[in-house]
Amino acid sequence: MQAVLQRAEEKKFPGVRLLQAAFHNRSLSLYTKLGFDAREPISVMQGPPMHRRTDGYNVRGVTIGDLEACDRLCTTVHGHHRGGELIDAINDGSAVAAERGGRIRAYATGLGFFLHAVAETNEDLQALIAAAKEFEGPGILVPTRNAELFRWCLHNGLRVVEPMTLMTIGLYNEPKGAYLPSITF
């Protein structure tokens, strides 16, 4: 981890993030001693896809023409965009968006452990989750502090398979909207 932090400093990265397995006391202590701050409890959630359409929403694949709107949404929620990852997801065919009222209200590079999602509201994010064909890898990463979203996931058949903690060192913007982080975020 010290080598990672040294490389981040050499590259002048404004911050470093990680997801720590919450049950692992020694790693929590190590990361804290290295300067990381615990920011958010995260629940890895898994379950059967709901295959459900939400009234008023059109969930569809993202195209390159949607990139600007998605980047704007991500910047609103996180203070920066993740356009490179989104382009990769568009090219892979995994990126999805939820439209309502003629505009993109949420997007995801896919729904899974290594993928991220951002939305204006919980309802917008729920439309994406409800329409998912699958939850890739170990599941989706749900911010546990977002009690409304977390409870909705539980009521819709998802279960917690592992608690994690989002930790950061350096720059961190408190999210201003609904989101699902990725293990690589």
Side-chain angles (χ1 to χ4, degrees):
M1 182 51 69
Q2 288 173 330
V4 168
L5 294 176
Q6 182 178 356
R7 181 169 169 85
E9 188 176 315
E10 289 168 2
K11 296 283 188 178
K12 299 189 182 340
F13 292 149
V16 177
R17 300 164 187 255
L18 61 84
L19 280 166
Q20 180 266 340
F23 68 86
H24 199 279
N25 299 337
R26 287 179 30 207
S27 70
L28 176 63
S29 299
L30 170 68
Y31 297 141
T32 301
K33 284 179 183 178
L34 289 172
F36 284 87
D37 295 324
R39 298 293 185 175
E40 181 89 58
I42 302 289
S43 293
V44 181
M45 301 190 83
Q46 184 58 267
M50 298 164 211
H51 301 288
R52 192 172 68 226
R53 189 175 181 286
T54 304
D55 287 341
Y57 287 89
N58 176 35
V59 176
R60 61 168 180 80
V62 176
T63 68
I64 204 71
D66 298 320
L67 187 60
E68 185 178 326
C70 292
D71 283 350
R72 193 170 38 252
L73 176 58
C74 191
T75 300
T76 298
V77 173
H78 290 298
H80 58 85
H81 70 80
R82 297 175 75 176
E85 289 173 75
L86 184 54
I87 289 170
D88 290 344
I90 292 168
N91 290 336
D92 291 343
S94 64
V96 293
E99 290 179 317
R100 184 174 187 167
R103 66 184 177 84
I104 293 176
R105 305 281 295 263
Y107 84 85
T109 53
L111 290 156
F113 204 65
F114 294 97
L115 306 162
H116 74 274
V118 293
E120 292 180 15
T121 68
N122 284 335
E123 183 181 21
D124 301 331
L125 188 51
Q126 290 164 3
L128 280 181
I129 296 169
K133 294 177 181 150
E134 67 177 329
F135 301 118
E136 295 184 34
I140 59 174
L141 299 167
V142 177
T144 314
R145 223 173 24 150
N146 185 341
E148 178 187 336
L149 179 62
F150 182 54
R151 192 172 294 111
W152 179 88
C153 288
L154 291 169
H155 284 299
N156 283 278
L158 301 182
R159 68 188 188 294
V160 176
V161 294
E162 181 181 2
M164 301 189 92
T165 306
L166 173 64
M167 300 184 79
T168 69
I169 193 168
L171 178 67
Y172 176 75
N173 297 319
E174 187 71 32
K176 295 176 177 73
Y179 74 103
L180 301 177
S182 74
I183 197 73
T184 59
F185 174 66

